[in-house]
Amino acid sequence: VLGDTLLVAPIVSLCEMTSSIITFGSSDFLDFIRSCVIDLTITVVERFYGNPVIDQIKDFVDSRIKKLRKFIKRRLGDDDDEEEDDEASLNSKDTGTPVESARSNIGILKRKDSNASRTGQPLSPGLRR
């Protein structure tokens, strides 16, 4: 669920600590305020503009790689596994944050649960009321 977050966490902590030490080392209060404002501005710009652009680039590259794989499979005459690959890629698709992933999984379970109760089938063991 966490993926690369655990690998990047020490680096992020080091960068934040370094930024704080540099901010605390300012010569006077005005320099301290300037460095805080600059740091906040950089953070806001990165979150509002940087992260969405990076996500769009990753989605674009992923879609191109999928198209390239399909093209190569068609050229090699291996069309039988296309449906299985598409289903596997949909199941392995990252849904975003762990909270979004959990919400989508709960939504899937609720839909399965409501369909089972309508058809008269017993609920799955993990979803007993």
Side-chain angles (χ1 to χ4, degrees):
V1 173
L2 294 177
D4 293 334
T5 306
L6 291 175
L7 296 173
V8 177
I11 297 169
V12 171
S13 298
L14 180 66
C15 291
E16 290 295 324
M17 187 183 307
T18 304
S19 174
S20 299
I21 290 172
I22 291 171
T23 303
F24 293 144
S26 52
S27 60
D28 59 359
F29 185 67
L30 190 58
D31 284 342
F32 175 77
I33 295 297
R34 281 185 196 142
S35 62
C36 285
V37 168
I38 290 171
D39 185 37
L40 180 66
T41 305
I42 290 171
T43 303
V44 167
V45 167
E46 178 185 4
R47 288 187 182 170
F48 281 126
Y49 298 108
N51 291 341
V53 169
I54 290 171
D55 290 340
Q56 288 178 352
I57 291 171
K58 285 195 292 187
D59 291 342
F60 177 76
V61 169
D62 286 343
S63 69
R64 292 297 174 181
I65 289 173
K66 287 178 186 177
K67 287 182 181 180
L68 180 64
R69 285 182 180 165
K70 285 182 182 179
F71 175 76
I72 291 172
K73 285 183 179 183
R74 270 190 255 130
R75 294 297 261 175
L76 294 175
D78 193 18
D79 290 335
D80 297 336
D81 298 333
E82 257 185 63
E83 292 178 16
E84 294 174 10
D85 292 338
D86 290 341
E87 186 176 323
S89 67
L90 289 175
N91 291 337
S92 67
K93 176 92 172 136
D94 186 19
T95 58
T97 65
V99 173
E100 291 170 351
S101 175
R103 284 182 180 165
S104 67
N105 289 340
I106 290 171
I108 291 169
L109 292 175
K110 283 184 180 177
R111 277 185 258 132
K112 286 181 181 176
D113 187 27
S114 64
N115 290 338
S117 63
R118 277 189 237 136
T119 59
Q121 297 173 351
L123 297 174
S124 59
L127 299 175
R128 296 196 190 276
R129 294 181 189 160

